[in-house]
Amino acid sequence: MAGRRRVTAGVGAATSEMRRSFVWRTAAAAAGLLSTLALTIVVYRMLDARDAAVFFAILAALSIGPLVGRLGLGPNVIRLVAAEPNPVERRAIASSHLSATGVLSLLSAPLIALLATWALRDSAHYLPVVLLTTAGIVAESLRLTLSDIFAASGRVGASVATTHHIRSMIVLPVVGAIAVVVSDPTLLEVMISYTAVSYLQLIAALVFARRDVALRAAGGVATLKTALSAGAKLFTLDLAAFLCLPGTVWLANVLFVPETAALYSAAATLALQVTIIESLAALAVTPAAARLWAAGERAQVVRVLSAVATLSTAVTAAAVVVLAAFGADLLGFAYGPSMREANVLLVVMAAGGIAKTALGVNITLLIISGHIAEAARTALIVLTVSVPVAVLAAVTGGPVWLAAASALSMTAVAVAQWWCTRRAIGAGPRAGWRLSAAWQMLKHSP
């Protein structure tokens, strides 16, 4: 009886953590989304077409860079730390993952920065922008790993404070001041401010991480190899998410003229903000869900994930409806008349995020249940088809076709992972129609 009470208390604590994390992350995402929207407006109006297009490509680099630099270590450290009861072992796991992140990001960031800024190669400030982008990717990689360590340790506030949403909120007034003070601002001034803010946030995160991370990695090379082995499989999932949407910004910068590339890149960046709630939900529930799964409360995990998917999908679908009805007018007012035509691209890509949000929680379930290889294999199979289709669509049909290919890719990955989860586990969480029941599930779970 006492054992059952302990299990019930554990379920209640885990569900409460999910609820707090989801609420705080959603609030931070809303503020971060508005900040990113305002930032893109300032940059689009402040810089010329090429600099603006490259800035959006750098934003994409700040998305893929940490994926390569962390190589799946973020989800892996959440999975391992959340399930480890020994505090000394938790610190060792966190330290090894943070060290591996530092090594990988230092090796990979320069190449990613070169790819992101290639359209600027004949500019006088090309090299400084490359160096600043490289430094920004390294800072982003380390800070996001710290955020995952905080999440795995149950430090919800610290985890939320170290997300890119908070960084966007801090960067916005700084870039806005540049737009007012500097007479003819360029991408260089924007990147100086962006990188400075990133490192201030990283330093603060390192100070707060002293009790969660040891001063040096424990376990040596063997521990790092083990972390990287599991992380490499999880990286496939991150890569699929990147190539489906943010990666198309790079493709647009290569294939389209600067004006068209800037329009497409702005639309894709905004669409990413609309579809980001799935990632937020995953971060919110993964640590607590891993503990519930380890405790044998598997049915509870499926129910909670389904409830989170239901609420997240409702928000995403509502955003798509608003964009379809008023997006052109809003874009024209915010960015200028030339941006009105980008609304079609924005709506198409944002609509692709509905399936991603409705079924994306299955990736979380596959990870915490130990079916990482199956999830990675499923993502690779979808990528072998979706990536060539996206390139062909961009070359033959232009921006609208590329946006459609992006939306279809997101949908295909989500459906494939749901199908994979049903086969591997026997149950696949998904969004439903009963919003009230989903809310009550999260609000009143024991």
Side-chain angles (χ1 to χ4, degrees), residues 423-436:
R423 289 198 60 182
I425 298 174
R430 59 179 176 81
W433 297 101
R434 301 176 62 188
L435 295 179
S436 177

Side-chain angles (χ1 to χ4, degrees), residues 129-278:
V129 169
V130 171
L131 294 175
L132 288 167
T133 303
T134 301
I137 292 171
V138 173
E140 191 84 357
S141 302
L142 291 170
R143 196 194 72 248
L144 288 176
T145 296
L146 287 169
S147 181
D148 289 334
I149 291 170
F150 290 144
S153 302
R155 300 179 67 182
V156 175
S159 179
V160 173
T162 45
T163 61
H164 66 279
H165 305 295
I166 304 301
R167 186 251 293 142
S168 296
M169 294 168 60
I170 301 172
V171 163
L172 174 60
V174 178
V175 175
I178 291 174
V180 173
V181 174
V182 180
S183 59
D184 189 19
T186 66
L187 182 59
L188 178 59
E189 286 83 15
V190 173
M191 287 308 301
I192 289 173
S193 64
Y194 219 93
T195 307
V197 168
S198 295
Y199 273 89
L200 287 174
Q201 192 180 15
L202 173 61
I203 292 170
L206 288 170
V207 171
F208 278 96
R210 287 174 297 175
R211 82 182 196 205
D212 299 302
V213 181
L215 293 178
R216 62 185 182 87
V221 176
T223 303
L224 292 179
K225 287 176 64 177
T226 302
L228 291 174
S229 176
K233 297 174 184 176
L234 291 166
F235 169 70
T236 306
L237 306 177
D238 292 333
L239 182 63
F242 173 79
L243 292 177
C244 286
L245 182 55
T248 62
V249 172
W250 286 8
L251 187 59
N253 272 266
V254 171
L255 296 178
F256 303 151
V257 298
E259 291 76 12
T260 303
L263 287 175
Y264 181 91
S265 299
T269 301
L270 294 176
L272 182 63
Q273 307 310 309
V274 174
T275 62
I276 201 69
I277 192 169
E278 181 269 332

Side-chain angles (χ1 to χ4, degrees), residues 385-436:
V385 177
S386 62
V387 171
V389 167
V391 175
L392 181 63
V395 172
T396 60
V400 175
W401 282 34
L402 178 57
S406 173
L408 290 173
S409 296
M410 284 188 281
T411 301
V413 169
V415 172
Q417 295 292 10
W418 172 74
W419 177 79
C420 176
T421 306
R422 288 181 62 86
R423 289 198 60 182
I425 298 174
R430 59 179 176 81
W433 297 101
R434 301 176 62 188
L435 295 179
S436 177

Side-chain angles (χ1 to χ4, degrees), residues 75-76 79 230 233-234 237 278 282 285-286 289-290 293 301-302 305 359-379 413-429:
N76 198 55
R79 180 176 68 94
K233 297 174 184 176
L234 291 166
L237 306 177
E278 181 269 332
V285 303
T286 298
W293 190 269
V301 171
V302 173
L305 291 179
L359 302 173
V361 290
N362 285 279
I363 296 177
T364 298
L365 186 52
L366 287 170
I367 291 173
I368 65 176
S369 63
H371 293 87
I372 300 173
E374 291 90 334
R377 184 168 56 248
T378 300
V413 169
V415 172
Q417 295 292 10
W418 172 74
W419 177 79
C420 176
T421 306
R422 288 181 62 86
R423 289 198 60 182
I425 298 174

